[in-house]
């Protein structure tokens, strides 16, 4: 297909169901925010699908529609929410406990949020040691549990008269699992589910169930989930878009903004020390070293791929990179991050950059959940399948084809995202060459 050929994108008719494994801080802030926007009480700040424009054609053409007017995305009015969680709290109670939103924003939405009750989760304490839930599925094998998840998806769709469903993982970070033999092929994966193999984490059961039901799956946490050969193959075979991993918010987002700037100017890096304090449940889960290891791997990879020390050894060889997350309950969801960046300039002179980011984790993550849900649904209607690399804009550890370095630079990711939309809608790519404006 040429870059300007239009694909037939099926229209976004009917209702779209968004299911989240996990009904904690991020998921409830997302759901409350969408409802608040629908009622005209808030603006969807932070969401490209709702607020960003996209330039089309030459600068002289003055064509810059909103993305949502350019590509056929589901309307917020057509979204229906559902969730799974081992903790039985409804979305209102969970949001209250998460403490992200203030009562003035939460109380007007109480009826709406109270009606969202989590389905029993595919959950095992072994994979998330700090959570003790009662709302949990039972089954003889992991395959049984996956089949129950599939049934949940079908029931949710039928009960709500939905046209389409997408799943965005908003549940806790699981312990670190290395991709292995159980994940290598679809056959091995299914056998491992039958054998209750420890290598099959609950998040993989959701990913498997989603793909089997033809439901796009986006993974907001760093655990592997769909990022194993078996499930990538399954997604390709069944024509289902998948993406992940780990929402790019807070400190890592900031890293992928600053590091490309240093590299663009050929400034060196001696070290980057990042530390965080946070006191939400996510922080508590990450206080467990096994869950933190999954997160650490996800956070550490970005600088190397952006700075390419193998290409620029004089500037970036052996820089030291340390990431810490400390659970500190008084802060709740209002994380504070400090970055100390030791950079090196002309004639080797050292300089320092200090960043003190007082962010709100779930406030940054919620619009990402919305965009991933709407873009994943759009991708499916546009006939896209398998890994959606153009969504790496939203992730700390983007999934990429085997052997391909994922792209971490936020601005390259943004260009890729917008060019993919142009490509799918039959518009010219924008190269920013612009010589034509100067030719007489
Ligand atoms: N907020 C951010 O900025 C951000 C950024 C990147 C990634 N994340 C990831 O997003 C996820 C959600 O974050 P949060 O702050 O909402 O955490 P949270 O602890 O408030 O919510 C997570 C919920 O998932 C539930 N859960 C655990 N295992 C489950 C399973 N197997 N099935 C269904 N539910 C399950 C927990 O009971 C909990 O209610 C975490 O993995 C976090 O690491 C968040």
């Amino acid at each position: 297909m040429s870059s300007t050929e239009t694909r037939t994108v099926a229209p976004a008719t009917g209702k779209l169901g968004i299911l989240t494994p996990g009904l904690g801080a991020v998921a409830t802030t997302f759901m409350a925010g969408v409802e608040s926007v629908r009622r005209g009480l808030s603006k969807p700040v932070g969401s490209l699908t709702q607020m960003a424009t996209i330039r089309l054609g030459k600068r002289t053409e003055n064509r810059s529609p909103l993305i949502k007017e350019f590509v056929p995305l589901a309307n917020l009015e057509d979204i229906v929410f559902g969730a799974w969680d081992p903790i039985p709290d409804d979305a209102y109670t969970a949001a209250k406990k998460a403490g992200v939103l203030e009562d003035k924003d939460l109380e007007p939405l109480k009826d709406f949020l109270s009606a969202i009750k989590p389905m029993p989760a595919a959950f095992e304490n072994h994979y998330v040691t700090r959570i003790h839930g009662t709302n949990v599925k039972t089954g003889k094998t992991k395959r049984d549990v996956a089949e129950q998840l599939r049934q949940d998806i079908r029931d949710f769709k039928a009960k709500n008269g939905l046209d389409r469903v997408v799943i965005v993982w908003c549940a806790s970070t699981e312990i670190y699992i290395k991709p292995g033999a159980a994940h290598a092929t679809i056959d091995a994966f299914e056998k491992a589910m039958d054998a209750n193999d420890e290598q099959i984490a609950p998040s993989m059961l959701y990913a498997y169930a989603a793909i089997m039901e033809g439901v796009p799956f986006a993974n907001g946490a760093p655990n592997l989930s769909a990022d194993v050969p078996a499930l990538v193959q399954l997604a390709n075979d069944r024509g289902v878009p998948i993406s992940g991993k780990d929402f790019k918010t807070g400190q890592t987002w900031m890293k992928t903004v600053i590091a490309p700037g240093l590299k663009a100017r050929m400034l060196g890096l001696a070290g980057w020390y990042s530390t965080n304090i946070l006191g939400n449940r996510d922080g508590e889960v990450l206080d467990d070293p096994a869950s933190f290891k999954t997160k650490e791997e996800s956070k550490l990879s970005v600088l190397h791929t952006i700075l390419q020390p193998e290409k620029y050894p004089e500037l970036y060889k052996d820089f030291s990179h340390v990431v810490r997350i400390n659970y500190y309950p008084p802060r709740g969801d209002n994380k504070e991050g400090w970055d100390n960046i030791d950079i090196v300039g002309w004639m080797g002179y050292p300089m320092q950059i200090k960043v003190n980011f007082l962010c709100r984790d779930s406030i940054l993550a919620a619009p990402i959940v919305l965009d991933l849900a709407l873009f994943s649904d759009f991708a499916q209607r546009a006939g896209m399948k398998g890994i959606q690399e153009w969504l790496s804009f939203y992730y700390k550890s983007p999934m990429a084809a085997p052997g391909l370095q994922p792209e971490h630079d936020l601005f390259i990711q943004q260009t890729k995202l917008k060019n993919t939309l142009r490509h799918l809608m039959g518009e010219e790519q924008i190269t920013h060459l612009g010589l034509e404006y100067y030719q007489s």
Side-chain angles (χ1 to χ4, degrees):
M1 170 170 158
S2 84
S3 65
T4 53
E5 197 180 319
T6 314
R7 287 187 182 224
T8 337
V9 182
T13 44
K15 290 201 260 177
L16 172 70
I18 302 181
L19 280 171
T20 60
L23 190 60
V26 171
T28 56
T29 306
F30 154 64
M31 293 170 186
V34 170
E35 181 61 8
S36 174
V37 172
R38 294 201 283 213
R39 294 187 187 185
L41 302 171
S42 312
K43 295 274 175 243
V45 178
S47 160
L48 269 73
T49 59
Q50 305 306 303
M51 300 196 97
T53 59
I54 182 163
R55 186 187 122 202
L56 304 174
K58 300 200 187 317
R59 270 181 274 166
T60 44
E61 290 177 33
N62 287 326
R63 283 197 297 148
S64 286
L66 284 169
I67 286 178
K68 67 176 180 180
E69 284 163 4
F70 173 54
V71 293
L73 299 175
N75 283 319
L76 298 192
E77 283 65 32
D78 295 328
I79 293 175
V80 177
F81 301 104
W84 292 273
D85 203 294
I87 299 171
D89 295 339
D90 61 57
Y92 171 76
T93 312
K96 268 291 233 211
K97 287 189 185 166
V100 177
L101 299 174
E102 294 171 16
D103 283 351
K104 72 173 177 45
D105 297 310
L106 215 45
E107 289 313 314
L109 308 173
K110 183 171 179 180
D111 289 358
F112 173 78
L113 292 170
S114 306
I116 304 172
K117 298 186 172 38
M119 298 179 271
F123 176 79
E124 282 181 59
N125 197 236
H126 169 71
Y127 299 92
V128 182
T129 55
R130 302 284 160 108
I131 302 248
H132 303 279
T134 51
N135 190 35
V136 175
K137 291 193 190 314
T138 50
K140 262 213 338 257
T141 66
K142 295 191 180 192
R143 171 101 76 147
D144 289 346
V145 173
E147 289 303 325
Q148 292 175 43
L149 291 172
R150 292 184 63 182
Q151 189 60 47
D152 287 348
I153 297 170
R154 291 195 286 264
D155 292 347
F156 175 66
K157 204 168 168 184
K159 198 174 119 207
N160 294 289
L162 306 175
D163 242 52
R164 305 168 316 282
V165 176
V166 295
I167 292 185
V168 185
W169 174 271
C170 295
S172 313
T173 300
E174 294 171 333
I175 56 168
Y176 184 67
I177 293 181
K178 260 202 155 99
H183 314 120
T185 63
I186 301 170
D187 189 45
F189 186 91
E190 288 179 337
K191 288 203 170 100
M193 282 196 295
D194 290 333
N196 287 333
D197 190 325
E198 254 191 21
Q199 293 298 301
I200 307 292
S203 67
M204 293 175 184
L205 301 181
Y206 288 95
Y208 174 83
I211 299 167
M212 292 299 284
E213 291 302 311
V215 166
F217 183 85
N219 175 16
N223 28 251
L224 287 174
S225 306
D227 196 7
V228 293
L231 295 179
V232 171
Q233 185 63 50
L234 193 65
N236 278 315
D237 291 354
R238 301 185 82 91
V240 181
I242 53 173
S243 67
K245 316 181 293 283
D246 205 6
F247 302 132
K248 181 151 87 173
T249 57
Q251 201 166 46
T252 308
W253 162 61
M254 206 40 99
K255 261 182 196 163
T256 64
V257 171
I258 294 174
L262 297 176
K263 187 179 167 205
R265 284 289 162 89
M266 290 286 107
L267 293 168
L269 181 71
W272 196 312
Y273 178 82
S274 304
T275 187
N276 297 276
I277 51 174
L278 83 160
N280 58 15
R281 199 192 287 145
D282 186 32
E284 193 182 349
V285 168
L286 293 172
D287 208 34
D288 169 31
S291 285
F292 177 67
K293 179 150 172 54
T294 316
K295 200 71 167 180
E296 190 182 27
E297 292 275 325
S298 169
K299 283 175 168 267
L300 285 179
S301 61
V302 303
L303 285 184
H304 269 86
T305 21
I306 292 175
L307 298 174
Q308 296 179 292
E310 63 294 343
K311 249 200 192 121
Y312 303 99
E314 297 102 321
L315 298 173
Y316 305 123
K317 191 166 169 270
D318 298 333
F319 67 82
S320 137
H321 187 193
V322 177
V323 180
R324 294 275 176 270
I325 298 179
N326 292 301
Y327 177 53
Y328 179 60
R331 278 306 166 90
D333 198 62
N334 297 350
K335 176 150 97 181
E336 181 159 7
W338 290 267
D339 284 275
N340 172 73
I341 314 163
D342 285 293
I343 67 171
V344 184
W346 187 246
M347 297 170 72
Y349 276 77
M351 293 173 270
Q352 294 183 2
I353 301 172
K354 312 270 180 191
V355 181
N356 180 197
F357 191 9
L358 285 85
C359 70
R360 293 173 189 264
D361 252 7
S362 304
I363 295 294
L364 291 170
I368 295 184
V369 181
L370 174 63
D371 283 4
L372 283 171
L374 296 187
F375 279 144
S376 300
D377 169 50
F378 162 70
Q380 187 166 48
R381 283 182 286 108
M384 305 278 276
K385 59 182 184 177
I387 297 172
Q388 302 299 299
E389 215 207 24
W390 62 288
L391 296 177
S392 35
F393 178 71
Y394 294 106
Y395 292 115
K396 284 194 197 71
S397 296
M399 287 172 69
L404 203 61
Q405 280 275 23
E407 186 54 68
H408 284 292
D409 178 328
L410 187 80
F411 303 102
I412 296 179
Q413 292 173 330
Q414 183 198 31
T415 304
K416 188 193 270 288
L417 185 149
K418 289 195 168 179
N419 269 339
T420 305
L421 297 178
R422 292 181 187 110
H423 168 72
L424 293 174
M425 300 306 291
E427 286 281 342
E428 289 293 341
Q429 303 295 289
I430 292 192
T431 63
H432 301 288
L433 180 62
L435 283 179
E436 66 276 20
Y437 301 119
Y438 299 92
Q439 279 157 0
S440 50

